[in-house]
């Protein structure tokens, strides 16, 4: 019974990590890129489509990147004229 309980516990931890922790780590990594002003990548669509807190965080980061890109483009255009 103890071995069975340990196996079930390990499986639960594995799936929780896969479902919760990994997406958070990926969105955090994207946030760090934004912090370094690396705006060359887009946040993966799979996170933007999520209907949970991770999806909300992804949408917020996506909005930040979109706004920064627009601002940079306005600056570049004004410098050329």
């Amino acid at each position: 019974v103890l071995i069975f309980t340990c196996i079930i516990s390990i499986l639960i931890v594995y799936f929780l990590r896969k479902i919760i922790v990994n997406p958070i780590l990926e969105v955090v990594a994207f946030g760090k890129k934004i912090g370094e002003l690396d705006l060359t990548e887009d946040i993966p669509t799979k996170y933007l489509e999520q209907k949970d807190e991770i999806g909300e965080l992804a949408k917020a980061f996506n909005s930040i990147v979109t706004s920064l890109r627009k601002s940079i483009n306005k600056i570049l255009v004004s410098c050329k004229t």
Side-chain angles (χ1 to χ4, degrees), residues 24-66:
I24 291 172
L25 292 176
E26 287 187 46
V27 173
V28 166
F30 187 77
K32 287 180 181 178
K33 287 182 182 182
I34 294 170
E36 296 168 354
L37 295 178
D38 179 0
L39 307 176
T40 58
E41 293 184 33
D42 292 322
I43 197 153
T45 306
K46 66 182 178 181
Y47 299 123
L48 294 171
E49 294 173 347
Q50 285 187 225
K51 305 291 184 201
D52 56 9
E53 290 81 3
I54 294 169
E56 291 299 315
L57 183 61
K59 289 172 192 160
F61 280 145
N62 193 52
S63 177
I64 292 168
V65 169
T66 300

Side-chain angles (χ1 to χ4, degrees), residues 2-12:
L2 183 62
I3 294 174
F4 179 74
T5 304
C6 289
I7 292 172
I8 294 298
S9 297
I10 290 170
L11 289 174
I12 289 171

Side-chain angles (χ1 to χ4, degrees), residues 15-27:
F15 286 114
L16 283 177
R17 178 164 173 81
K18 187 173 177 78
I19 293 170
I20 297 172
V21 176
N22 287 349
I24 291 172
L25 292 176
E26 287 187 46
V27 173

